[in-house]
Amino acid sequence: MLFVAPIIQLLILPQAANYTIRNINLSVVDLDHSSYSHKLSEKIFASGYFRSSGYPASTSEAFKLIEEDKADIILTIPNGFSQNIIKEGSQKVAVSVNAINGVKASVGNNYLGNIIQDFNNQIRTEWIQPARINSQPSIEIVSAYWYNPLLTYYIFMVPGILVFLVTMIGANMSALNIVREKEVGTIEQINVTPVSKSLFILGKLIPFWILGNIIFTVGLLIAWLVYGIIPLGSIPLLYMFLGVYLFALLGFGLLISTYSDTQQQANSIMFLFVMIFNLMGGLFTPIESMPGWAQVITKIIPISYFIEVMRMIVLKGSSLRHILYHTGIVFGMGVILNTWAILNYRKTS
């Protein structure tokens, strides 16, 4: 559970959690059957983002494919498509999108729009005289993608998933710590010893703090060996923030353990919080895209700070001064949670 599970998850999750949408089922209703309509269809399917779900003879037949979930998008090329392009220089096409999956609908529509726009530019180039092109001014746009020049999704996703795995393992293990002592009955023996509450909590925290560092190290090695991700920033700085983060995270797990009477109860409570961390920590959904009330909640979720810091150091090469705010907030959370856990642990002699 401590080592094999994180390794397997880090190898599998980045492959599955990918926002690059492909294999969008596209149905083309070609009412023109001209060379231009065939070229447009070929260009769309050659992009690699779409796969054909048929060429129905009418729009009504195409809508049946959407109703049966066999098509995501319908492209209708009207009759007279090529003639209107040649004679009038313009022509509209209809795009109908199955928007049950909003993300897939939006991304698929953007893909299709960009391909059609590129096809439109090709048509214009074919019909404008070369001499006229040379006589007109032109603007060339050169884009530069900072920190991820190839737009590789793994580079963005793997650091966040590594943070989530460290959180999941560390929180679950620490949450089961004291409550197991209660279940097996050894807590009574500990309570009659002269060990103070703070030292007892510290003794429960340190082993999992070390294990968290080991799991994180294994994750970094996998990120390097499998995905070719090498942190641009300081690796010791990563471990510095990891130490502060584990201080807060393990304190939270120990706090839950002091309130729980059984391991099943501790597991259930931690499962609730891990789900909230997963959905609201900024791993899959940008925090800036959340509603205002949700953004307020993310400010008290420690994983949101670590995911942001992880991406800042690994991808941007940020230095200590860039993460001082995050470090201060997470350290403050750690002080509050561990103090709460110490006060809540009832030691009787």
Side-chain angles (χ1 to χ4, degrees):
M1 186 174 180
L2 287 173
F3 297 103
V4 178
I7 291 174
I8 294 176
Q9 290 167 338
L10 196 58
L11 291 173
I12 294 176
L13 287 180
Q15 311 288 340
N18 194 326
Y19 284 168
T20 303
I21 298 178
R22 296 184 181 274
N23 297 323
I24 302 170
N25 295 318
L26 175 67
S27 177
V28 179
V29 182
D30 188 355
L31 302 177
D32 189 51
H33 301 289
S34 63
S35 60
Y36 280 114
S37 64
H38 288 306
K39 286 181 180 179
L40 176 58
S41 299
E42 291 174 357
K43 185 176 182 65
I44 292 172
F45 290 119
S47 66
Y49 295 108
F50 299 93
R51 62 185 178 189
S52 175
S53 59
Y55 289 83
S58 64
T59 305
S60 59
E61 292 183 18
F63 277 119
K64 290 181 181 179
L65 295 177
I66 284 187
E67 293 173 358
E68 298 170 356
D69 288 330
K70 295 180 179 179
D72 299 311
I73 300 178
I74 298 173
L75 172 66
T76 303
I77 303 175
N79 189 20
F81 174 76
S82 60
Q83 292 182 358
N84 291 335
I85 288 179
I86 296 172
K87 293 180 179 180
E88 300 179 10
S90 64
Q91 174 62 59
K92 293 182 179 180
V93 295
V95 177
S96 303
V97 184
N98 181 359
I100 291 180
N101 186 334
V103 174
K104 188 174 184 179
S106 177
V107 174
N109 189 41
N110 289 335
Y111 286 164
L112 188 59
N114 291 334
I115 294 171
I116 294 175
Q117 182 62 41
D118 186 52
F119 179 77
N120 181 52
N121 294 335
Q122 289 182 3
I123 297 298
R124 288 182 177 180
T125 303
E126 290 178 7
W127 284 92
I128 297 176
Q129 295 296 328
R132 188 178 178 184
I133 294 178
N134 295 331
S135 65
Q136 291 182 342
S138 62
I139 300 175
E140 181 181 0
I141 300 176
V142 179
S143 300
Y145 298 100
W146 285 29
Y147 312 124
N148 190 2
L150 300 178
L151 299 180
T152 305
Y153 195 71
Y154 299 143
I155 294 178
F156 172 77
M157 205 63 198
V158 169
I161 290 179
L162 176 56
V163 171
F164 177 69
L165 293 179
V166 171
T167 301
M168 185 172 60
I169 298 298
N172 284 335
M173 292 295 99
S174 60
L176 298 177
N177 206 334
I178 295 178
V179 72
R180 176 165 175 77
E181 303 276 8
K182 295 178 183 178
E183 282 193 339
V184 299
T186 53
I187 193 70
E188 303 298 334
Q189 301 174 23
I190 295 174
N191 285 340
V192 297
T193 64
V195 178
S196 65
K197 292 196 298 183
S198 57
L199 287 179
F200 174 70
I201 295 294
L202 190 62
K204 290 294 186 180
L205 184 147
I206 290 177
F208 293 103
W209 188 89
I210 296 173
L211 285 173
N213 279 269
I214 295 174
I215 294 170
F216 185 76
T217 302
V218 173
L220 284 182
L221 289 174
I222 292 175
W224 170 51
L225 295 173
V226 178
Y227 302 105
I229 299 175
I230 301 176
L232 293 180
S234 170
I235 293 181
L237 186 61
L238 268 179
Y239 280 92
M240 183 276 292
F241 191 88
L242 171 66
V244 175
Y245 176 72
L246 287 174
F247 172 63
L249 176 68
L250 298 179
F252 177 65
L254 290 174
L255 177 62
I256 291 179
S257 190
T258 60
Y259 274 103
S260 303
D261 295 322
T262 64
Q263 293 186 70
Q264 184 178 2
Q265 184 182 7
N267 262 327
S268 300
I269 296 173
M270 186 53 70
F271 177 78
L272 168 64
F273 283 102
V274 167
M275 286 297 295
I276 295 174
F277 292 168
N278 184 20
L279 297 175
M280 301 188 65
L283 176 60
F284 298 105
T285 304
I287 295 176
E288 296 78 9
S289 301
M290 298 179 184
W293 60 266
Q295 294 187 33
V296 173
I297 294 177
T298 61
K299 295 185 182 299
I300 60 173
I301 297 178
I303 191 174
S304 64
Y305 295 94
F306 194 16
I307 289 176
E308 185 175 356
V309 167
M310 188 74 171
R311 288 168 175 166
M312 289 171 64
I313 296 177
V314 173
L315 304 184
K316 297 174 63 177
S318 298
S319 60
L320 177 61
R321 67 183 182 89
H322 297 115
I323 66 169
L324 278 177
Y325 170 77
H326 307 76
T327 306
I329 294 293
V330 175
F331 181 76
M333 291 180 181
V335 171
I336 294 172
L337 292 170
N338 282 279
T339 302
W340 191 351
I342 292 173
L343 295 176
N344 192 63
Y345 169 57
R346 296 175 178 86
K347 183 178 186 298
T348 58
S349 56

